[in-house]
Amino acid sequence: MSDDRFMRMALELARGCKGQTSPNPVVGAVVVKNGEVVGVGTHLKPGEPHAEVHALNMAGEQAEGSTVYVTLEPCSHTGRTPPCADTLVRHRVGRVVIAMLDPNPRVAGRGAERLKKAGIEVDIGLFKEEAARLNESFCKYIVTGMPFVTVKTASTLDGKIATVTGDSRWITGEEARREVHLMRHEHDVILVGVNTVIQDDPRLTTRLPEGGKNPVRVVLDSRLRIPLESQLIRDREAPTWIFTTDQADRERMQELEKQGIRVISTGSDEKVDIYRVLKWLGDNQFSSVLVEGGSQVTASFLQGKLIDKVVAYVSAKLIAGGTAPTSYGGTGIEKMQDAIELKDMEVRTLGQDICITGYPEYKGG
């Protein structure tokens, strides 16, 4: 069907801007007249015109009587840009095909109703699931005010993330590692525990051949043990924020702040309160967090039922070792019946590696 073809085109336009629009959604739009594409557009970054505006401007006079395919319901409120629903009405389009309604309470069906009242034919739901997945971070953030949390792990076939000596470079191949850098580009924040910084001294930046956006680097460090000579402190390639507790050394905190590092306490508890970390990030308009370890951090997120998505890269390697670390540490679950299962799973191969993606289904809510 031609509707399928043009909506897929709109979805691809939206997908191409992942990582650029937060806290706004990614949106693609295609204007079609007499079976031909006369305008295309995508939302490039916050504060700039929305996808529909770019597409209509390209279509010009041909927009009148056209069919517009858009991945997300046109907005009906005035923010940093005028309402797109009104723009579509003003251009006298004949039909609008919408993949999904906007979960934003300020829109929530009002855009579609505005179009219908103007006499425009509206169809809703074509590739709804694909559109929702594309904007899964936005959908959670705009409703709850909390960022969408993805935990990425890389392990051997026997579940190890490093050898008994702590050596972890490299578990996966180049294809998987390149995909991880793309994930970094698409997220607002990358988060690790201080042990990962001490052991690996990572940069936590996006390193793609075509460039990319560096996420804000967040370290959970209850006692401010992070080495002052670590790359996260010295390189200035991206902002580094450290979440700690009131028990951390004040002089150490001041020393870090002199280096341009932002230090934030989550309270008087012995360990950093990760829920408060996420709440702070959400309050400051960060809609997505990529957790890259280590095993105690991932276990804390899992125990707190704070993981929205799991991306697990598994290499065809075996290293064994009873003391070699695994992807998830902590005390663990006692009974198999209480194990957390993944739903909507996807399994792919990347070279010699396997990528498993799924969404945790927590028992009891």
Side-chain angles (χ1 to χ4, degrees), residues 61-83:
E61 294 181 356
Q62 296 184 82
E64 184 172 351
S66 66
T67 296
V68 178
Y69 298 83
V70 60
T71 58
L72 187 69
E73 177 185 10
C75 61
S76 57
H77 64 285
T78 300
R80 284 192 268 182
T81 58

Side-chain angles (χ1 to χ4, degrees), residues 15 17-22 26 44 185-188 213:
R15 187 173 289 108
C17 286
K18 283 199 73 174
Q20 297 181 193
T21 63
S22 181
V26 290
L44 296 174
H185 165 75
E186 293 176 350
H187 283 77
D188 297 336
K213 171 183 68 68

Side-chain angles (χ1 to χ4, degrees), residues 210-257:
E210 61 273 25
K213 171 183 68 68
N214 286 329
V216 170
R217 304 176 295 194
V218 166
V219 180
L220 307 184
D221 186 359
S222 300
R223 296 290 186 276
L224 295 183
R225 295 186 295 120
I226 188 169
L228 294 178
E229 65 274 12
S230 64
Q231 295 188 88
L232 297 185
I233 304 299
R234 293 185 294 103
D235 66 14
R236 303 292 196 274
E237 290 189 46
T240 298
W241 298 347
I242 300 175
F243 284 85
T244 188
T245 68
D246 291 345
Q247 300 180 37
D249 183 79
R250 292 294 167 183
E251 291 186 7
R252 182 75 164 180
M253 183 182 297
Q254 292 172 1
E255 198 170 1
L256 287 164
E257 289 174 339

